[in-house]
Amino acid sequence: MELKSSFDTFLQEIRPTKNQRDDLKTGHRTLRNRLTMDRKLAPIIVSDFLQGSYRRATAVRPNGDKRSDVDIIVVTSLHEDQYVPEAAIQEFVPFMEEHYKGKYRIQGRSIGVTLSYVELDLVVTSAPSEQELRILKAQAVTADDDLEAAHDWRLHPGWHALNDRVMKAAQVQLLEAAREAEWKAQPLRIPDRDAGKWEDTHPLEQIRWTRTKNASCAFHFVNVVKAIKWWRLVKYSEPKHPKGFPLERLVGECCPDGINSVAEGITRTLEAIVSTCANVAALGQKPWLADYGVPTHDVFKRISAADFAKFYDQVKAGAVIAREALDSRDQKESGELWRKLLGDKFPKPPENGGKKEGGFSPRESVTIATPGRFA
Amino acid sequence: MFRERERCWSIAVAITSSIASEFIPTTTLWFILFSDGFPFGRLAFMPAKQGGIVCTFPHQEANSEGTLSCPWREGKICLDMPIQSLGIVGGAIEPLGDPERRIVWHAERAVRWVEAAARNDLTRVGEPFELPRYPIGRALLSIIHAETSESYAAWTKVRFQSGIVRLRRLRRANAALVATEFQTFEGDEIYASSLPNAPDSSPANEIGVWWKWPVPVVVPPWQAPASWDELRQVGERVGVDVDTTLRDIAARVRGRGRPVLLIGYDMPLRVGSAPTERHWAAIQLPRLKKAFKNSRNANDALWDRDRERVFGSEKKIEYLRTENWSADRMQARGRFKRTLCESNVALIGGGALGSVVAELLVRGGVQQLTLIDGDTFTAGNLARHTLTSADFDKKKALALADRLRLVSLHTTVTGVAQQFPEAKDAAEKLLSDATIVIDCTASDCVLVNLARCWWPVPRLFVSLSVGFEARRLFGFAAFGNTFPIDEFERRVVPWVEQERARLRDSGETLEGAGCWFPLFPARCDDISLAAGLATTLVDRLVANCPPEPRLFVYEQTHDELGLLAYGRVLETPGS
């Protein structure tokens, strides 16, 4: 059974908490204000925006008390010919000392800033080309609305953040943004893992791809990603990888279009991973998956074949449970199977729910269900 | 003495003022009229025909001669209105019931009126501007327009003094024509007034002429010209060539039935301020014969004839009742805040509560309303609904829309006779233009269907329902791109449990034997109270939109005699 309302509850429990979402928004806003007021940095900052799983609405709540990582891109006008990545990052140190003393650390290619409930992960870019400046400063890029909140997000200069749509002028621009073609953004250049050189990344294309996929899955795709991420988190401590974006990318590759529920999506995605990667797994190898917008990057680069093999077996087992849970006609049995797959955050099925599909609970008295409201 | 013919008592008096003017001598004669019910009832000061004033002043009825046998003219002077120069500014109340004091009260004011008239001081700067009274007579045709300060802005850009007005006949007990569009003689539109619900019977446009004057068209001191000659006098004084204009107007409307002529000028809200609105006085012209041959000689001959027979010296001007039906005027007695009036309201649920809320919103000035309800109106609904037995077996949404179009001249009402769609696309399309969505269905299913939708432009959602016996009103409000049903459930469920318990304890209310489904008890006056409060709540919410979803609960409190008050409940149930 699809158990829609149980899945609704489950998804509420695994998405980031309200505190985490509010903290991120406040933290980002504060950072942005401070950057624009900073005499040294303001001239070299082009834009900054939220990227990553938070923006794509695929982030899950971290286990326990851990803070979740929130990725922010800071677009600078520092040219690659003049600045190696490490030097570009160093430009931010005085600012960090002033505003986030004791709360920041340089970590290879990014700067981590510790807030109350989240950890901001700032990734600095080198100067983009002139044509990109307009879109990088547009609300479609800079707004914090994630894909779940903003159903109509499009990469267009006329798109407005959700809290900026009351004026008629904004509404007219929104119509244009809906009608006209999207901007074809170029990749940005960020430090590689060792901050040794600049390499391509395309967060806007990741957001755009996810938006399109989500729309073709009746808005269930991002929830399928979250559920499968969660399954890996709670069921298996080993191997650590794939997780995060590589796992999300694999789900994106295998989740079929046209699904009608999260339950169907999880089941068919796990089964699709099994079938799609069967050959690769049989050969003891791992798949090659191109990043959105950067076809030369292999998202699975850092995952070992051995890890993938273990992961593949977990998927096989999970697919079987999911299929049983989906096909079961008994609410209690189905609920218990989903719980077995997804953990305790999935609500327990009701005790007397052991009836076949479509049954009503027996009448306890002669009165029928009394309404409580009238109009 | 008692006047048989006029059915009143009359006393002849003389008023002597310290000063005189060209319009008013030092001593003037008057008749005081009393009705049978004195010291209650009518009391009026009328100018005597012999020795009284013959012209019309401000704050006076049109001072025409009246019937031959009557010794007084028709120009009753206004003594019981707040007029600054009479020393009355609100406050002073006419002492009805006390014969001596009442006469003295009127007499003192009459003397002050005469003195102010002589000093030309009857109207003071800052007072509301008063139009002259037009001698309407027995004409049955009315002319309707909808001038406002907004349309005045269109008029300020127009340099022509006259043009065409297109009129449409209304379906009414008395005949009426609505001015729908003002144009230049070349056919260029100046502005079109829209009265969406003015019921019309014929689409055919009738033609009239508008004629703008530079100043109020009055024969001094303050009389609407009663004859064409008086109009010519006014024209001479203010530099308007009446005959040339009339000749030109006549040429434009020859052969077109009985044309209407609108004479207009700009007026301020208060004496001494800048003008804010165009005033029109409508005049009925007789049918003007068209020339067989369109030659100059033929037209000259026709004009000479009409100048004598239609617009001759002694010929009376036939004024028509002219009414301004603009929303500003019709709703001057009270309406909702501008933001609510200009919103596009979608109301889901045209039942007991929804029908009253819809009517209050429309009467209070909302300009766009869409009503969505799939039910049919039956006899059992009569006890608590605005529809009548004339609407039996009609779809509630359509019958309500018909009714509401009769209730307001200015609201565009659309009835959608279907249940709120389950399909997301259909539901989103239905409410795509709404800026306020009001749910009056008390149906969780509808809210589930509503919550599936997402709109790019955020809007205010208000879900209204009442509890057992309509003693409690629940108003849930949220602003955003989608209806937050989780928030709704979290806040409303505890209250609903309480109401369910009350309903269960009270026993079932059955319509009668053989009826299996119990009714929800709620009397019409309780529903009306709740609806009034709910509508006020909507008005306040539009002005102060809640940043987070909120539930407002209001409750009736009673003592042993009955209802005391409707108060806001602040604590949650069970706390």
Side-chain angles (χ1 to χ4, degrees), chain A residues 316-328:
Chain A
K316 270 168 71 178
V320 168
I321 302 172
R323 176 51 66 183
E324 243 189 277
L326 183 68
D327 288 348
S328 166

Side-chain angles (χ1 to χ4, degrees), chain B residues 295-311:
Chain B
S295 73
R296 196 206 181 104
N297 282 340
N299 278 320
D300 282 353
L302 274 176
W303 168 247
D304 288 339
R305 196 187 81 137
D306 288 332
R307 172 66 177 78
E308 172 74 39
R309 292 163 73 169
V310 176
F311 303 109

Side-chain angles (χ1 to χ4, degrees), chain B residues 450-486:
Chain B
L450 187 62
R452 268 197 217 107
C453 304
W454 190 93
W455 290 274
V457 178
R459 67 276 310 277
L460 174 66
F461 294 95
V462 185
S463 178
L464 300 168
S465 52
V466 295
F468 175 69
E469 288 184 348
R471 285 198 212 147
R472 280 199 186 127
L473 169 71
F474 302 105
F476 174 82
F479 182 81
N481 305 79
T482 186
F483 183 76
I485 194 167
D486 297 326

Side-chain angles (χ1 to χ4, degrees), chain A residues 12 149-152 162 165-166 171 174 219 363 367-368 370-375, chain B residues 352-353 384 440 442-444 454 456-458 465-466 481 496 499-500 503-504 520:
Chain A
Q12 287 292 347
H151 287 210
D152 66 346
L162 292 180
R165 296 184 174 199
V166 177
Q171 292 169 21
L174 270 173
F219 302 103
R363 291 262 198 96
T367 54
I368 59 166
T370 37
R373 317 191 281 132
F374 173 74
Chain B
L353 189 65
R384 45 196 190 192
C440 288
S443 159
D444 293 342
W454 190 93
V457 178
S465 52
V466 295
N481 305 79
V496 166
E499 298 300 327
R500 272 209 194 102
L503 187 51
R504 269 197 300 268
F520 195 102

Side-chain angles (χ1 to χ4, degrees), chain B residues 155-349:
Chain B
W155 282 113
T156 49
K157 300 190 182 106
V158 176
R159 53 176 210 287
F160 300 104
Q161 303 309 310
S162 53
I164 296 284
V165 53
R166 307 196 87 87
L167 304 138
R168 199 174 64 197
R169 202 158 278 275
L170 285 200
R171 225 184 318 118
R172 251 174 46 145
N174 298 324
L177 289 170
V178 176
T180 54
E181 205 179 295
F182 287 83
Q183 297 172 340
T184 63
F185 279 126
E186 278 69 47
D188 300 318
E189 184 187 297
I190 295 169
Y191 88 94
S193 78
S194 61
L195 286 172
N197 299 328
D200 57 340
S201 61
S202 72
N205 277 329
E206 304 194 19
I207 299 289
V209 175
W210 60 266
W211 179 12
K212 191 246 176 192
W213 284 60
V215 290
V217 182
V218 285
V219 174
W222 199 248
Q223 180 214 306
S227 69
W228 294 103
D229 236 19
E230 285 187 350
L231 187 68
R232 276 184 271 268
Q233 283 172 35
V234 178
E236 250 186 65
R237 203 166 43 80
V238 304
V240 171
D241 187 340
V242 171
D243 275 336
T244 307
T245 314
L246 281 178
R247 181 186 183 137
D248 186 36
I249 287 172
R252 306 247 187 203
V253 296
R254 288 193 181 288
R256 288 179 179 264
R258 294 196 71 201
V260 168
L261 170 62
L262 299 184
I263 290 198
Y265 46 88
D266 297 332
M267 58 177 177
L269 188 58
R270 293 191 176 268
V271 177
S273 317
T276 54
E277 196 178 296
R278 174 64 52 89
H279 161 74
W280 296 113
I283 294 169
Q284 177 79 76
L285 295 178
R287 195 172 187 288
L288 297 174
K289 202 167 162 188
K290 193 169 176 151
F292 246 135
K293 254 182 3 164
N294 196 11
S295 73
R296 196 206 181 104
N297 282 340
N299 278 320
D300 282 353
L302 274 176
W303 168 247
D304 288 339
R305 196 187 81 137
D306 288 332
R307 172 66 177 78
E308 172 74 39
R309 292 163 73 169
V310 176
F311 303 109
S313 324
E314 297 303 310
K315 296 289 178 189
K316 296 250 168 282
I317 294 178
E318 213 183 310
Y319 287 102
L320 299 171
R321 187 178 325 277
T322 319
E323 294 176 24
N324 185 336
W325 282 9
S326 67
D328 287 347
R329 292 207 175 217
M330 296 295 101
Q331 292 155 10
R333 288 155 188 77
R335 65 178 163 184
F336 294 117
K337 296 186 182 40
R338 195 196 186 105
T339 338
L340 175 52
C341 290
E342 291 176 357
S343 299
N344 188 326
V345 181
L347 191 111
I348 314 172

